Amino acid sequence: MVSSVGFSAPLDSLRLQKNDSVKVVKMPYKIIPRQATLKSLMIPGWGQLYNRQYWKLPLVAGAFVTLGMIANYNQVRYTKYRGYYYVVSLHADDPTYVPPATVAVPYEDGVTRDLDVNQLKRINDGFRRNRDYTYIGMVLAWALNVVDANVSAHLKTFDVSDDLSLRVKPIMEMDPLSQGMVSGLSLSFNFKK
């Protein structure tokens, strides 16, 4: 945009020239729902920042940090027990190999417990399942973040002026099919700008 004095102005401001003085007038902040949606798709919480709903950012960040910590917890334990399980089941194809009845597994509390192969497999599968459910939860949280940014942007651009009106009036007319009188209600919406 080029003004009358020959310099370009940013799109978010309007420069007016009056008696050799330049006045900068800020344009109102306009929220575009598509931009809010795309920004939330790229980075969780960016759409909420774009919508100027700053109080939602700690909620979005907290959800992703919590889910990330849960996924990490389950991944660490899954790899630990998978290692013990593979040591026991590594020679399953060898007919001369006799697996040990139990395997000594050190726990986080410092106690070593003897677990058999079935217990190791059940623990291993449980941590893997919990980790996978947490990843699904992350995808759902991301989708919820995008939907929230889109809906909030649409609600912020919704017209809630006093110029909206609804008029209800009863009607009575002749029905051509039944050749009788039909009663009903007529609803009229008026939108004024």
Side-chain angles (χ1 to χ4, degrees), residues 22-188:
V22 176
K23 182 178 181 184
V24 176
V25 178
K26 289 284 185 182
M27 302 298 279
Y29 185 73
K30 181 172 171 131
I31 294 175
I32 302 168
R34 181 180 175 164
Q35 282 189 357
T37 305
L38 292 175
K39 288 179 180 192
S40 273
L41 271 173
M42 288 187 267
I43 300 172
W46 193 11
Q48 283 76 12
L49 288 176
Y50 175 76
N51 290 337
R52 294 186 174 179
Q53 294 178 321
Y54 305 114
W55 64 273
K56 288 184 180 180
L57 190 60
L59 299 175
V60 172
F64 281 97
V65 167
T66 302
L67 289 170
M69 290 172 63
I70 292 170
N72 183 44
Y73 174 85
N74 287 307
Q75 175 65 26
V76 167
R77 273 129 190 102
Y78 167 66
T79 55
K80 172 185 171 182
Y81 289 106
R82 184 184 60 188
Y84 287 115
Y85 176 69
Y86 283 160
V87 165
V88 173
S89 64
L90 186 63
H91 303 290
D93 295 336
D94 186 8
T96 61
Y97 175 72
V98 178
T102 59
V103 176
V105 178
Y107 276 71
E108 286 79 19
D109 58 3
V111 177
T112 301
R113 294 182 175 89
D114 291 330
L115 302 174
D116 65 3
V117 177
N118 293 330
Q119 288 173 328
L120 283 172
K121 177 152 178 49
R122 191 170 39 249
I123 291 170
N124 185 35
D125 290 345
F127 281 120
R128 185 187 66 227
R129 182 183 58 245
N130 291 342
R131 180 206 57 192
D132 293 345
Y133 284 156
T134 307
Y135 289 151
I136 292 170
M138 285 180 171
V139 170
L140 291 176
W142 200 310
L144 185 62
N145 160 56
V146 172
V147 168
D148 175 64
N150 187 342
V151 169
S152 295
H154 276 289
L155 288 177
K156 284 194 175 255
T157 60
F158 189 71
D159 183 20
V160 290
S161 66
D162 293 335
D163 295 336
L164 300 176
S165 64
L166 170 68
R167 209 172 19 163
V168 179
K169 69 178 184 179
I171 58 169
M172 198 94 175
E173 33 181 67
M174 182 66 122
D175 184 23
L177 295 176
S178 66
Q179 299 295 327
M181 295 297 284
V182 177
S183 61
L185 288 176
S186 171
L187 302 175
S188 299

